[in-house]
Amino acid sequence: MTEQVTMQALQKRVDDYIGQFKEGYFPPFELLARLTEELGELSREVQDVYGQKKKKSTEEVNSIEEELGDFFFVLICFANAQGIKLDEALLRVIHKFETRDKGRWTRKDEE
């Protein structure tokens, strides 16, 4: 069974890791560029698995899970650098979807 980890604990672990280096977090635009790069790598994996454009034999094979993990790490770095608590930010967004968009989609029990 996998250990349950909170978002706060993940953010702290990333912060502890980054905090051991003099350079610290990259500036916001560099973090955004890194996030975009990781999203591109994730997109490439999704395209290879589900899309029409398969990888060439010379391209490295990664998993969607690995690329999503890389993306999430950089996202946490960005949030930490901005002083954003991701759990609170996500809860606000979920609330928005549950209220503003509650009637937007067809519920399974309405079919």
Side-chain angles (χ1 to χ4, degrees):
M1 184 166 187
T2 318
E3 176 187 344
Q4 296 294 317
V5 182
T6 66
M7 185 68 72
Q8 289 176 357
L10 290 171
Q11 284 192 254
K12 182 176 181 335
R13 186 167 177 183
V14 169
D15 195 54
D16 289 346
Y17 174 76
I18 297 295
Q20 64 185 325
F21 304 109
K22 289 181 182 179
E23 295 82 0
Y25 291 107
F26 293 133
F29 280 116
E30 283 194 49
L31 280 170
L32 187 58
R34 293 269 329 272
L35 198 58
T36 303
E37 177 185 349
E38 295 300 345
L39 181 59
E41 292 174 11
L42 174 60
S43 297
R44 183 67 189 105
E45 293 304 319
V46 171
Q47 177 74 310
D48 183 55
V49 173
Y50 298 106
Q52 305 263 337
K53 187 177 179 187
K54 303 302 179 189
K55 285 187 169 186
K56 298 175 187 173
S57 60
T58 56
E59 288 184 271
E60 188 175 340
V61 176
N62 295 318
S63 68
I64 292 173
E65 180 180 13
E66 181 181 350
E67 294 302 340
L68 197 54
D70 289 345
F71 181 84
F72 194 52
F73 180 85
V74 177
L75 180 65
I76 290 174
C77 286
F78 191 89
N80 284 354
Q82 297 298 308
I84 295 168
K85 294 178 180 178
L86 281 172
D87 56 346
E88 293 177 8
L90 182 57
L91 287 172
R92 281 194 297 276
V93 170
I94 290 171
H95 176 73
K96 178 175 63 175
F97 277 94
E98 290 173 338
T99 55
R100 182 194 69 189
D101 294 339
K102 66 181 177 184
R104 184 174 195 167
W105 309 106
T106 306
R107 295 192 176 273
K108 290 181 178 181
D109 59 359
E110 294 176 2
E111 293 176 348

